[in-house]
Amino acid sequence: MSALTEYQDALGREFVLTGDAVEKWSRDWSGIYQWTPLAVLRPANTAEVSAVVKIAAKLGHVIVAVSGMTGMSGGASADGCVMVSLDRLNQIEDIRPEARLAIVGAGVILSNLHDAVDPHDLVFPLTFGAKGSACIGGCLSTNAGGSNVVRYGNTRDLCLGLEAVMPDGSILNAMTELHKDNSGYNLKHLLIGAEGTLGIITRAVVKLVPKPKAYATAMVAVPSLSAALTVLNRVQAETGDKVEAFEFMPAEYLDKLNKLKPATRRIFDIDHEVNILLEIGSTIQAECTPSDDGTIPLDAQFETILGELLEEEILLDAVIAKNEAERREIWERREAAAEVQLATKPLVNNDIALPLDKVASFYDVVRGRVLAFLPDVSISTVAHLGDGNLHLVVSLGEHNVDRKNDVMSLVEEVVLEYGGSFSAEHGIGLSKIPSMQRRKDPVAVATMRAIKAALDPNNMMNPGKVIPPLD
Ligand SMILES: Cc1cc2nc3c(=O)[nH]c(=O)nc-3n(C[C@H](O)[C@H](O)[C@H](O)COP(=O)(O)OP(=O)(O)OC[C@H]3O[C@@H](n4cnc5c(N)ncnc54)[C@H](O)[C@@H]3O)c2cc1C
């Protein structure tokens, strides 16, 4: 292990982990990807990250950056590699309410940032089921999405600036706090979504938004996905774009949820095929202050809109959360999705983005084609429907396990017919390399290869991820 001595000199012995100590860093949350790293390095700051990258470059080691290990695409798998964990870069360095920004280390856990900005009546509006483990560096590197993209955009939209250690160990200072900066190529956007293949993100300047003073949340049932889009557009128009979340849970998903968690209450008296979690939020004091009879104007407006939609039979049913506990109960159904879907392994997890007006037709066609190809699989989707992102999960059963690639390819074909993308928010990692090879525009892939070769000529940063190998 003398090869590791230089890392120990740079970080201190206790921050260079080997043997049994790397157990925690040897699998991702899903357990689908498992590996044995050569070592796990735990630098404390950017200078130490830079030092270990320089050592790795000298020793010819391959580096995989790692944050919360909740990635869904195998991007952090690191067999025989040196893993650089950002977990000690976990400082929230500054919160500047007036500028609506925070300066954070890459290892800050998402929910810790939520908690830290809350007393300022501000929100970092990136949220999803893994918020208690996923870190800022991982979210930036995968350009994570989640449930509030319909209102606030994805991680890329929430980042003003960042700092990164490049493959030669140099430190890129792009920690701008500016909303406008057209001084040359936007390198921040090159590193966001690069999944650790171009450098290691060490710090970031992130945007904050005013915290809604009240939310109104409901589960609604609609006759079809096209009707769901009508609901979204109506609620957006009548509230002035206040939709925070618009999440689709079909009957088949809710059945699986009930099987896994039998204590979960049924939502409606009768089961419906198309169920939507709909949440609006307001920052306007007058809309959120109870009137004399105790009614909150935002709630009243929500009830009126849903009532009209029910009368017009665009909605089949609606259950509005009466308090925070009921709101939480609604959200728990949605946030259990990853756990529910994983319980049906082996599976193909398609992370698809589509134009909003094509989702309904796509959904019918893709289900039909998958079931025609393999009639004995089960399909269950959950979706960030408000931004057109479907997680269409095909549970194969052990006997179909060797058809995984065929199913992926079939789904991709339909996705492309509808002008969609086979990768919406989880990134490429290892799992979607075949999709990149098959479906990504060849000029785009060649350009990515050229960028990778220019910045990382020795291919030491997370090789084999994102960019498919040459044929
Ligand atoms: C229950 C659950 C729900 C989820 N829901 C969503 C969802 O709704 N939306 C969504 O987008 N994702 C979701 N995910 C996926 C996952 O949480 C996100 O991809 C998240 O951004 C990963 O962050 P992480 O810190 O765990 O990164 P990791 O898994 O540690 O790493 C992910 C990738 O980024 C690279 N990387 C990590 N840190 C750095 C760094 N500092 N610099 C450079 N590269 C780095 C890694 O090498 C790897 O390629 C969910 C996951 C789970 C388990």
Side-chain angles (χ1 to χ4, degrees), residues 127-405:
T127 189
F128 47 83
K131 58 183 179 283
S133 305
C135 303
I136 297 299
C139 294
L140 286 163
S141 299
T142 57
N143 187 24
S147 301
N148 293 155
V149 171
V150 61
R151 188 161 196 183
Y152 304 104
N154 49 31
T155 312
R156 189 183 292 287
D157 303 306
L158 300 172
C159 177
L160 289 172
L162 56 73
E163 177 189 84
V165 172
M166 304 307 283
D168 63 358
S170 59
I171 298 169
L172 171 73
N173 181 354
M175 287 289 283
T176 172
E177 300 172 1
L178 307 173
H179 290 261
K180 288 184 175 174
D181 182 4
N182 281 350
S183 51
Y185 299 153
N186 195 321
L187 301 178
K188 165 187 82 177
H189 283 311
L190 194 57
L191 283 146
I192 295 173
E195 300 178 51
T197 59
L198 299 179
I200 302 180
I201 297 172
T202 44
R203 294 163 72 224
V205 184
V206 296
K207 288 185 200 168
L208 307 174
V209 300
K211 180 181 160 189
K213 295 180 188 355
Y215 294 99
T217 311
M219 282 300 304
V220 300
V222 282
S224 65
L225 280 174
S226 340
L229 187 55
T230 307
V231 173
L232 174 64
N233 289 335
R234 278 279 287 276
V235 178
Q236 291 287 42
E238 291 186 28
T239 61
D241 285 343
K242 288 198 178 76
V243 173
E244 293 262 327
F246 196 80
E247 302 279 311
F248 168 48
M249 289 176 269
E252 57 209 354
Y253 166 72
L254 293 171
D255 278 348
K256 284 184 180 167
L257 171 67
N258 272 89
K259 283 192 187 104
L260 189 73
K261 297 174 184 278
T264 311
R265 281 202 303 150
R266 295 239 163 224
I267 307 163
F268 302 112
D269 295 338
I270 55 166
D271 291 341
H272 296 285
E273 284 303 317
V274 183
N275 307 281
I276 309 285
L277 183 167
L278 167 60
E279 180 159 279
I280 62 171
S282 173
T283 57
I284 300 169
Q285 190 67 53
E287 292 180 350
C288 307
T289 309
S291 52
D292 291 345
D293 64 359
T295 317
I296 295 173
L298 186 76
D299 291 345
Q301 185 195 19
F302 197 48
E303 272 178 43
T304 304
I305 298 170
L306 297 189
E308 286 166 4
L309 290 165
L310 277 164
E311 260 176 43
E312 292 169 44
E313 296 180 359
I314 296 169
L315 286 188
L316 300 174
D317 214 338
V319 173
I320 298 178
K322 290 191 284 299
N323 49 45
E324 184 56 26
E326 289 188 6
R327 175 175 176 242
R328 276 286 1 120
E329 191 186 1
I330 288 178
W331 270 105
E332 275 161 18
R333 289 194 188 94
R334 175 62 184 87
E335 288 177 347
E339 198 186 336
V340 170
Q341 306 287 33
L342 271 179
T344 65
K345 280 197 278 191
L347 52 81
V348 182
N349 185 359
N350 302 281
D351 170 32
I352 299 160
L354 290 157
L356 292 185
D357 59 349
K358 295 193 176 165
V359 170
S361 168
F362 166 84
Y363 186 65
D364 290 340
V365 170
V366 78
R367 287 171 54 84
R369 287 209 210 156
V370 170
L371 291 171
F373 177 61
L374 289 177
D376 56 349
V377 297
S378 80
I379 304 174
S380 118
T381 305
V382 285
H384 303 301
L385 195 59
D387 62 58
N389 175 193
L390 267 61
H391 296 301
L392 185 122
V393 171
V394 181
S395 305
L396 295 167
E398 288 298 341
H399 56 294
N400 285 321
V401 82
D402 57 340
R403 313 310 291 272
K404 207 169 181 168
N405 205 35

Side-chain angles (χ1 to χ4, degrees), residues 43-197:
N45 51 46
T46 305
E48 289 192 358
V49 176
S50 166
V52 298
V53 169
K54 283 181 182 158
I55 296 168
K58 192 175 76 182
L59 297 176
H61 285 162
V62 162
I63 280 189
V64 178
V66 63
S67 290
M69 289 202 299
T70 66
M72 288 294 202
S73 306
S77 69
D79 219 19
C81 305
V82 170
M83 294 184 89
V84 176
S85 169
L86 282 301
D87 65 307
R88 294 176 67 217
L89 276 69
N90 58 359
Q91 290 84 20
I92 298 173
E93 296 171 24
D94 204 2
I95 297 171
R96 302 233 305 274
E98 291 299 312
R100 293 203 179 139
L101 62 80
I103 300 177
V104 293
V108 169
I109 292 174
L110 196 48
S111 59
N112 289 351
L113 181 56
H114 293 163
D115 293 346
V117 302
D118 185 75
H120 301 278
D121 282 333
L122 292 168
V123 180
F124 179 60
L126 176 72
T127 189
F128 47 83
K131 58 183 179 283
S133 305
C135 303
I136 297 299
C139 294
L140 286 163
S141 299
T142 57
N143 187 24
S147 301
N148 293 155
V149 171
V150 61
R151 188 161 196 183
Y152 304 104
N154 49 31
T155 312
R156 189 183 292 287
D157 303 306
L158 300 172
C159 177
L160 289 172
L162 56 73
E163 177 189 84
V165 172
M166 304 307 283
D168 63 358
S170 59
I171 298 169
L172 171 73
N173 181 354
M175 287 289 283
T176 172
E177 300 172 1
L178 307 173
H179 290 261
K180 288 184 175 174
D181 182 4
N182 281 350
S183 51
Y185 299 153
N186 195 321
L187 301 178
K188 165 187 82 177
H189 283 311
L190 194 57
L191 283 146
I192 295 173
E195 300 178 51
T197 59

